[in-house]
Structure formats: structure tokens, C-alpha cells
Amino acid sequence: MRKKIVAGNWKMNLDYGQAKNLLQDLIQNKDKFNKDTEVIICPSAPYLGVFAELTADHDWLKLGAQNSYFIDSGAFTGEISPTQLKSLQINYCLVGHSERRDVFDENYDLLSKKVKALINHDITPIFCCGEQLQVRNSNVYREFVMKQIEDSLFSLSATEIEKVVIAYEPIWAIGTGKTATAEQAQEIHGIIRARLIANYGEKIGNNVSILYGGSCKPDNAKELFAQADIDGGLIGGASLNAEDFCAISNSF
Ligand code: 13P
């Protein structure tokens, strides 16, 4: 059975004090979070060590990193390795967020190495995909998203792909307040699921959680999460508010 997941991508927001306050806010409200949902937060990298200590007794709240390199150690100034993340008990890591693809030129090949390295270290990659507005309008958006997935993920074995979470994040919906409609999101999620099943078989394809991201808020999460192939959300702005994030976790 695939997991229902609500993951907060805090991006490069909040100074250390603000981030700790938000974590305390989440912990104080732990009883209000949906017990049947995997709740994940991805704060900025410098906070992960202390956050790992502060959440050690809170199994309901998982930590994710926003990025990692694919090599274990060495002369790669500024990078973080999967081994280092593992040593902090980090369970998840974002890969291929559109902001990393666009601003830092991360390409299919690099992303596929990152995914593989994370799986090898038993960290679940949350692999992001999604199209720009002009691609959406050009009507080849289905093929565009599928190519992102096929190029970076389809060299994985069946046991490996089962360890991946996919997040569909149409770029035109990120931070714009203009969310995809439930039908638009389900169309892509359904295609992704169908391709996973075609490639890896029914059982494995149905085990992969596929999240939606892009202006997902308490007032639209219910409709999105009610779709057959939407298993939760990757939340940006609304994850910076404990009450909103909690409400989204209760939107299934
Ligand atoms: P917003 O929820 O702020 O649109 O961001 C989505 C996102 O990029 C999550 O990774």
C-alpha cells in the first residue's frame, strides 16, 4: 500500500530562530496532525543537525533535506553527501526541484545519479518533475513530464523505483497562487501511474506515492487529495505556517 504523504519544502526561508519556532509550533500541535499521513519537513541544510536531535523522540515527524550530491565524500566544496545525511538519520531528500533544475542547471543525468546514491543510502528521494507555462500551453506537457521521469528514473530496478516518491509540480503553479485544478493534476498523475505500471507492473506501480505541489493550500488540498492518483502534497509557502500545514495533513 502506498503512503499518504504531506511534505513541507521550506526552501531558503526562515532564519535559525524562526525555523526553530516553527518546529516547536509543529511539535506542540502534534496531536492535531493526521496519524495516517507521513509528515515530512525539509528545512535548510544548516538546521538539519539540531532538528534531528529535536525530533529524535517524534517519530511522526520525518526530516528531509532539500538537496544532496551523489558522491560519499571528498573535495566538493559546498555540497552535502548522502552519507552525511544518513549520519543525521535523515529519511528523505528532494531531487530535481524545478528551482534546482532552472537556477542551478541540474540535468537528467545528474538527477539520476543523485536518486541512485540516495537509494543506496536508504534515503527516500522525492523526485520532482513538472512543466513550464509555455510547455503547458504548447500541448506537449504530458510527453515533457514523462520524459523527465523516464530519463532520470527508468534505469532503476523494480525494487529501487518502489523506494522513490514522485512529486508533480507544474512550474506555473509554484508560488503563484495559481494551483492546477484537481483534473489537471490527476491527468498527469494518472499518466505517471500508468507508465510506472507499464514499465514495472501493477503491484510496483501502485506502490509509488505521487505527490502534487504548486500553491497547494488548506482550501484546495481536499479536492486535490481526493483524486485517485494523488497521494499527498509537496507544500512550499503553506508549510511555513503550522496551522495551514496541519490542516493540509488532514485533507485526505
Ligand atoms: P508553493 O506551495 O509555495 O507553490 O511551492 C511549491 C513547491 O515548490 C514545493 O516544492
Side-chain angles (χ1 to χ4, degrees), residues 1 6 17 52 55 87 91 96 120 179-180 185 193 200 226 239 246 251-252:
M1 257 296 276
V6 170
T55 57
S87 71
N91 305 98
N120 287 344
T179 186
R193 176 93 55 219
Y200 293 101
S239 72
C246 182
S251 298
F252 291 95

Side-chain angles (χ1 to χ4, degrees), residues 109-181:
D109 180 46
L110 176 67
L111 299 180
S112 104
K113 287 180 178 140
K114 288 186 172 196
V115 166
K116 187 96 180 160
L118 289 165
I119 292 173
N120 287 344
H121 289 85
D122 207 21
I123 298 169
T124 302
I126 302 179
F127 179 82
C128 307
C129 56
E131 79 286 358
Q132 298 90 342
L133 186 59
Q134 67 270 28
V135 178
R136 163 66 53 171
N137 291 337
S138 75
N139 232 15
V140 292
Y141 59 91
R142 302 173 191 85
E143 294 78 5
F144 181 91
V145 174
M146 279 322 304
K147 185 163 166 50
Q148 289 181 320
I149 290 180
E150 285 168 13
D151 285 355
S152 292
L153 297 185
F154 277 18
S155 59
L156 296 175
S157 70
T159 25
E160 288 171 334
I161 195 96
E162 261 192 315
K163 295 177 181 158
V164 176
V165 170
I166 294 175
Y168 169 57
E169 299 204 302
I171 297 170
W172 46 272
I174 295 179
T176 58
K178 189 177 180 309
T179 186
T181 64

Side-chain angles (χ1 to χ4, degrees), residues 182-225:
E183 293 72 30
Q184 285 173 319
Q186 168 57 29
E187 181 196 30
I188 296 291
H189 284 234
I191 293 171
I192 295 173
R193 176 93 55 219
R195 284 309 312 270
L196 287 169
I197 289 174
N199 230 51
Y200 293 101
E202 189 100 24
K203 184 171 162 290
I204 302 227
N206 278 323
N207 264 349
V208 175
S209 298
I210 310 177
L211 314 183
Y212 168 79
S215 298
C216 184
K217 312 267 183 231
D219 61 1
N220 58 29
K222 251 197 188 83
E223 201 188 346
L224 286 159
F225 295 178

Side-chain angles (χ1 to χ4, degrees), residues 89-101:
Q89 322 292 336
I90 304 298
N91 305 98
Y92 291 90
C93 183
L94 305 182
V95 181
H97 193 281
S98 58
E99 287 146 19
R100 294 219 57 92
R101 292 178 194 258

